[in-house]
Amino acid sequence: MRILGIETSCDETAAALIQDGVKILSNVVASSVELHKKTGGIIPEVAAREQAKCMIPVLQEALQAAKCKIEDLDAIAVTVGPGLIGSLLVGVETAKTLALVWEKPIIPINHLQAHLYANWLNSQSARQLGNRQRSVTSKIPKFPAVGLVVSGGHTDLVLIKDHGEIKWLGGTRDDAAGECFDKTARVLGLGYPGGPEIARLAQKGDPKTYHLPRPMAGQKNFDFSFSGLKTAVINLIKSEATILDRKADLAASIQEAIADVLVKKTIKAALKHKVKSILLAGGVAANQCLREKFNSQSSILNSQFKLYIPAPALCTDNASYIASCAYYNYRPTPWEKITAKPGLEIA
Ligand code: KG4
Ligand code: ZN
């Protein structure tokens, strides 16, 4: 089965062709990040205007790259939420129009749930598309699984009993992990998005230099809080005039604090629920320090569960996992019933 995925929830305009939920035939992403770098963050209307311009060329490229004719296509999957309303509408209304004109089934997709399906995509085809880094494994995850979705707007820990059977275990009470990277990067005078900037700078820094708070790390629940970390960084900068000369050490310490909390709580959830797999997903899962910490923890606890981390290019927003999610959660819906849902939750 060949599914066309469409993703426009934030600032990307993306389309992908996926076969049987695992094989990437094409994966095209146009990003307006260069425009947002100038403003230090996303201006929703600027993002949506760019998406309206890019949508058709991106679709055309995805179909051509997959050598897929319209008659070879079985269904269309589209992100309906959560996300920015103007951005979502571009993808949702395009998908509905195509479904009607091409007479194809359409499947509405939750962007957060879909992020997890990057773990089902065959890493070999991702490599062919330019990813040098391998995923941890190319085998299909087993249930039950614990999923950690860490993106710019969300930090959620979920228990997945089967496809479509998701229970929310906990999440951030304030800022998301990606938001914490983005906001602290801004405080350090780094560019947008902040995660990759902090990660780059941190390579030259010592993570033990500053002991930043690990909020809620020791608590029994599966919630997170990251806004205190940002405040701690601001206070450090205020109290130590020369600290900005040691930006690399500070970046490494911030990254370490965020990664520590994420690893600790996720492993705790995996052990409590005796799962077979841990699935990482979302833009922050592209972070090398976080990936290494998870890898070393899971090798210590080797036999208990298997760790899945998507190739970095599949962690950040793209349409491949939208189509994969639709394959495993195949629920065609009449186009009249499909609407953009900016406030959708993961479960
Ligand atoms: O999943 P995503 O691409 O978009 C959303 O759905 O939000 O995640 C974007 C977030 C941003 O906050 C960005 O700073 C963060 O992911 N990010 C990273 C890295 N790459 C992207 N954070 C840390 N290290 C990275 N390498
Ligand atoms: Zn995302």
Side-chain angles (χ1 to χ4, degrees), residues 182-226:
D182 295 338
K183 285 182 175 171
T184 50
R186 201 171 184 160
V187 172
L188 295 188
L190 304 173
Y192 177 87
E197 295 285 322
I198 296 240
R200 202 171 304 126
L201 200 57
Q203 283 175 354
K204 294 176 273 172
D206 177 1
K208 294 198 175 65
T209 314
Y210 301 101
H211 188 78
L212 294 166
R214 267 81 169 149
M216 307 184 77
Q219 294 184 12
K220 273 191 176 163
N221 56 43
F222 296 114
D223 285 345
F224 301 90
S225 165
F226 290 106

Side-chain angles (χ1 to χ4, degrees), residues 17-26 120-122 125 128:
L17 247 302
I18 304 298
Q19 189 164 315
D20 299 332
V22 293
K23 189 171 179 201
I24 302 174
L25 303 177
S26 68
W120 270 259
L121 291 160
N122 193 323
S125 40
Q128 285 160 359

Side-chain angles (χ1 to χ4, degrees), residues 7 9 78-83 88 108-120 147-158 160 166 168 170-172 176 279-283 315 317-318 321-322 325 329 341-347:
E7 155 62 41
S9 65
V78 64
T79 298
V80 293
L88 287 168
I109 294 295
N110 178 322
H111 176 84
L112 296 172
Q113 181 197 356
H115 257 298
L116 293 160
Y117 283 86
N119 292 294
W120 270 259
L148 174 71
V149 182
V150 266
S151 70
H154 289 81
T155 302
D156 290 302
L157 252 181
V158 291
I160 313 151
I166 299 191
W168 188 79
T172 187
L279 315 177
L280 302 195
C315 291
D317 284 350
N318 69 87
Y321 53 73
I322 304 300
C325 180
N329 300 271
K341 295 181 173 131
L344 202 61
E345 302 284 351
I346 191 164

